[in-house]
Amino acid sequence: MSNEANMTQPNRRGLLIILSSPSGAGKSTLSKRLLDWDPTLSFSVSATTRQPRPGEQDGTDYHFLTEDDFKHEVAQQGMLEHAHVFGNFYGSPKGPVQNAIDAGHDVLFDIDWQGAQQIRNSSLGQHTLSIFILPPSIAELHRRLVSRGQDSEEVITKRMQKSWDEISHWDGYDFVLVNDDLERTFADLQTIVTATRLRRLQQPGLVDHVRNLQQEFEEIA
Ligand code: ADP
Ligand code: 5GP
């Protein structure tokens, strides 16, 4: 393959890796682990109209926008998907995702079922890998939200009330993991990502490789 062709057609086509779960089941924890495991993976920093939690940084955890700015971005077709969750708007900016996958890098999304559905139905749908994280029990989900220590009692009650709504969409995902033991769940997640990267669709360079094999075959025949 010429250098020029190499530049325009990377050997790997990037995956859009979507993690969803009810709040508190462990998707942020698992996302951080995945990003530490593979530094080539980029995180899709969402835009949101919710207030930052203590310790959250603008541009790293979220792009914190006013409602007007958020709506402006949506009107400019700047969001790959967007949804209203727990009384606030959330969305995934399109530009960084397109750049990353064009360069053959995978992008990780921590988004709800509405966003996952919109991405699956978009032109990038065939390059998605969607994983749903279930808690081992509702009592444990509540315990985790409380022990995280980041939300008020009122916010926790609201999130618990919405958790069934999120869980009820578990069957729209490619893979479902019950996050009981964190090490086990993370190991399963690594297996899923590793295997999906080997899908034929994610390896456009295979066409040239097989062509070269064929040529070699003909030369020795
Ligand atoms: P989410 O992003 O889904 O809202 P988090 O990743 O913030 O959830 O996890 C909620 C809390 O549960 C955190 O305090 C986290 O450390 C803890 N946690 C995550 N996974 C497990 C697990 N398998 N066992 C016990 N605690 C966990
Ligand atoms: P939190 O406020 O706890 O950070 O997130 C609340 C919910 O919004 C979580 O279920 C999270 O996955 C979801 N969420 C975060 N960013 C996005 C986004 O860009 N799009 C959609 N659809 N949901 C998001």
Side-chain angles (χ1 to χ4, degrees):
M1 198 193 286
S2 72
N3 278 343
E4 197 184 325
N6 253 329
M7 278 164 63
T8 51
Q9 193 190 38
N11 283 332
R12 254 176 38 72
R13 179 77 206 263
L15 272 176
L16 286 77
I17 304 172
I18 302 175
L19 287 187
S20 300
S21 79
S23 188
K27 56 187 177 317
S28 308
T29 308
L30 290 162
S31 296
K32 287 197 182 89
R33 287 257 187 138
L34 270 183
L35 293 164
D36 286 345
W37 169 60
D38 182 354
T40 69
L41 194 59
S42 62
F43 182 66
S44 169
V45 179
S46 295
T48 182
T49 59
R50 90 151 157 72
Q51 291 300 306
R53 295 193 185 113
E56 280 185 333
Q57 286 185 354
D58 189 26
T60 304
D61 298 289
Y62 279 105
H63 298 289
F64 294 100
L65 300 186
T66 63
E67 207 166 305
D68 280 350
D69 287 345
F70 189 96
K71 287 179 173 165
H72 180 73
E73 277 303 313
V74 172
Q76 298 293 307
Q77 318 286 329
M79 298 288 183
L80 187 57
E81 59 74 33
H82 61 95
H84 199 237
V85 189
F86 307 129
N88 293 294
F89 291 102
Y90 292 84
S92 308
K94 200 185 278 177
V97 176
Q98 193 66 60
N99 292 342
I101 66 159
D102 286 348
H105 294 298
D106 301 333
V107 183
L108 181 63
F109 296 80
D110 170 343
I111 59 177
D112 84 329
W113 69 269
Q114 303 172 81
Q117 196 174 67
Q118 289 172 45
I119 292 181
R120 264 195 305 269
N121 293 335
S122 76
S123 58
L124 297 173
Q126 58 180 342
H127 298 292
T128 61
L129 160 62
S130 63
I131 303 149
F132 197 88
I133 313 293
L134 284 171
S137 69
I138 299 302
E140 173 63 10
L141 184 68
H142 185 254
R143 194 196 66 74
R144 287 183 192 172
L145 278 176
V146 173
S147 74
R148 186 165 68 183
Q150 284 184 334
D151 297 305
S152 67
E153 192 56 45
E154 189 194 338
V155 170
I156 289 175
T157 304
K158 208 161 138 188
R159 283 172 183 245
M160 285 302 293
Q161 282 165 354
K162 287 287 286 175
S163 66
W164 179 249
D165 184 34
E166 188 72 25
I167 291 173
S168 70
H169 293 91
W170 69 280
D171 57 353
Y173 286 73
D174 299 322
F175 292 89
V176 180
L177 299 173
V178 178
N179 181 22
D180 190 353
D181 177 74
L182 185 61
E183 299 308 324
R184 172 82 250 159
T185 311
F186 182 58
D188 287 343
L189 198 52
Q190 286 173 299
T191 303
I192 292 167
V193 170
T194 302
T196 309
R197 283 175 170 171
L198 297 174
R199 278 199 310 214
R200 186 164 43 85
L201 199 59
Q202 310 316 130
Q203 303 188 74
L206 280 181
V207 175
D208 283 309
H209 183 65
V210 173
R211 200 175 291 136
N212 289 340
L213 289 179
Q214 186 186 14
Q215 212 167 40
E216 205 182 331
F217 218 103
E218 285 164 4
E219 280 164 14
I220 60 167

